[in-house]
Amino acid sequence: MIKPKLLEQFLVEPGTTVNLKHFATDWTETEAARELGKDVTKERASEILAESHKRLDAAQERLYASDTHSVLLIFQAMDAAGKDGTIRHVMSGVNPQGCQVYSFKKPSTEELDHNFLWRYMKALPERGRIGIFNRSYYEDVLVVKVHPEWLGPGQPTHPDAKFWEKRFEDINNFEKHLTRNGTLILKFFLHLSKGEQKRRFLERLNNPEKHWKFSEADMAEREHWKDYQKAFEEALSATSTKRAPWHVIPADRKYAAHALVADTVTTAILNLDLEYPKVSPEKMVKLEEARARLENKDPADSVEPPPA
Ligand code: AMP
Ligand code: MG
């Protein structure tokens, strides 16, 4: 487990103005990594990830049993930052029945004909479950801020600052509504450097098994790197709240991103202090009756011995 104090440095303090240059993309340069010591290190990160798997599996079972809360994990990032891999690694220890992942793509015509939160509302996790948004309503203040022409029909062609402020307000109110109704929300921005994105794109081009992952559109978006970083800074500044905080996770080293996200998620769920439901005295009597029957004290429940 990473000390909560060390995890705090990845948190966007509510009400602050984010400058992404002040957040590390390489975890070995962070205070947390230095404190973890010796070889800062893949090995230590994989221990943390393994520990988290056990704790997360137990936390998830409690979440399911208590049926009072749901968990919503939001992942946003530039292309090739490792959203898919992080989700796969972090959730690999968890009972698949207790979680669900939605990957949001370009909205359909039907989706564009509704309010911008509509398609996300339909995908929210029910109580007892962990829901993961691989991209989310934050795309509606990120990609469409860089490309307002993708906002869809009935929307302004040149949205002004007020337009985006209203969307931030809608998002904050939406998240307030969700948390008031028992949803724990954690948001992760996987912070990748431009150099590392280049290396990962080249790896996709050089490895035939990774060709499918490469899209020309990703190259086009890379040209807008600065606009995206600015849009991220504005979104993180406006929407990191105590109830639904943003974490800026250094993503240049995949193993570190996996360990940091796993630890943050696990610790937050355990901090909910969920209890297994208490059994009523009437139910206790029923349980005892069932035990007596199964232990064959009741002839009505005797079992034929298996054939020899
Ligand atoms: P991928 O995650 O690589 O499969 O790509 C999904 C694509 O859908 C990305 O290019 C996103 O920017 C795009 N996308 C997701 N949500 C929206 C949205 N609300 N408006 C426009 N494009 C979106
Ligand atoms: Mg892609």
Side-chain angles (χ1 to χ4, degrees):
M1 202 181 137
I2 304 175
K3 282 192 225 138
K5 198 100 209 95
L6 291 179
L7 284 177
E8 268 171 24
Q9 69 191 287
F10 304 111
L11 198 69
V12 176
E13 187 63 34
T16 54
T17 304
V18 174
N19 179 346
L20 282 175
K21 292 207 174 75
H22 296 162
F23 285 89
T25 56
D26 180 351
W27 127 280
T28 60
E29 287 165 10
T30 66
E31 207 185 304
R34 276 195 294 274
E35 236 186 82
L36 283 177
K38 23 178 189 44
D39 332 277
V40 190
T41 86
K42 243 178 158 160
E43 214 176 292
R44 184 67 192 107
S46 74
E47 279 168 26
I48 292 169
L49 188 62
E51 268 169 41
S52 288
H53 282 156
K54 283 195 208 129
R55 292 164 65 226
L56 187 57
D57 191 37
Q60 193 273 327
E61 197 176 299
R62 227 165 242 260
L63 180 76
Y64 189 75
S66 70
D67 204 25
T68 53
H69 289 73
S70 55
V71 176
L72 177 63
L73 308 178
I74 291 183
F75 290 89
Q76 290 289 161
M78 296 298 286
D79 293 308
K83 293 193 303 303
D84 297 3
T86 303
I87 292 168
R88 182 154 50 87
H89 277 86
V90 171
M91 302 313 292
S92 66
V94 171
N95 180 350
Q97 293 198 85
C99 57
Q100 61 199 47
V101 185
Y102 277 88
S103 299
F104 292 99
K105 312 286 178 190
K106 288 201 165 63
S108 67
T109 317
E110 189 194 16
E111 288 168 341
L112 284 175
D113 265 341
H114 287 80
N115 66 72
F116 81 95
L117 292 172
W118 181 70
R119 66 172 180 157
Y120 309 100
M121 285 184 193
K122 294 194 300 178
L124 289 169
E126 65 202 57
R127 267 195 291 279
R129 290 169 70 90
I130 301 176
I132 295 166
F133 281 3
N134 182 346
R135 303 185 188 271
S136 65
Y137 41 86
Y138 283 98
E139 291 293 329
D140 297 81
V141 289
L142 293 165
V143 62
V144 291
K145 196 182 229 180
V146 177
H147 300 283
E149 66 278 15
W150 296 346
L151 272 168
Q155 299 293 334
T157 38
H158 299 285
D160 55 11
K162 205 91 212 117
F163 176 87
W164 303 112
E165 274 166 36
K166 285 185 197 156
R167 284 204 164 188
F168 289 145
E169 196 180 314
D170 287 345
I171 288 176
N172 284 333
N173 285 332
F174 179 54
E175 292 182 343
K176 189 172 186 174
H177 169 69
L178 295 180
T179 50
R180 276 177 170 172
N181 283 272
T183 306
L184 169 71
I185 306 175
L186 300 170
K187 304 181 291 201
F188 298 96
F189 169 58
L190 304 186
H191 188 24
L192 186 74
S193 66
K194 201 174 178 192
E196 180 61 17
Q197 189 194 53
K198 177 178 175 174
R199 210 190 56 72
R200 291 186 190 177
F201 279 177
L202 282 171
E203 195 178 303
R204 289 178 181 183
L205 291 172
N206 293 336
N207 179 350
E209 284 181 7
K210 290 197 171 175
H211 281 170
W212 66 275
K213 274 195 164 187
F214 189 84
S215 113
E216 294 93 80
D218 294 351
M219 272 312 285
E221 295 319 296
R222 181 175 162 82
E223 310 264 305
H224 298 288
W225 185 272
K226 276 204 176 129
D227 297 333
Y228 272 106
Q229 297 291 302
K230 185 163 177 279
F232 272 114
E233 285 175 343
E234 288 166 356
L236 297 177
S237 306
T239 62
S240 195
T241 54
K242 213 166 154 31
R243 65 174 75 84
W246 274 107
H247 303 81
V248 179
I249 300 291
D252 282 0
R253 294 174 199 261
K254 292 178 181 174
Y255 64 85
H258 302 166
L260 290 172
V261 172
D263 199 299
T264 305
V265 169
T266 309
T267 302
I269 299 179
L270 288 174
N271 281 347
L272 289 174
D273 270 333
L274 299 175
E275 308 246 343
Y276 283 102
K278 291 251 177 328
V279 171
S280 66
E282 298 78 35
K283 174 115 189 206
M284 224 36 221
V285 172
K286 296 271 181 237
L287 295 183
E288 283 310 319
E289 278 170 17
R291 185 211 304 279
R293 289 181 75 164
L294 289 169
E295 286 175 350
N296 273 342
K297 287 173 193 154
D298 179 350
D301 195 65
S302 62
V303 179
E304 293 292 318

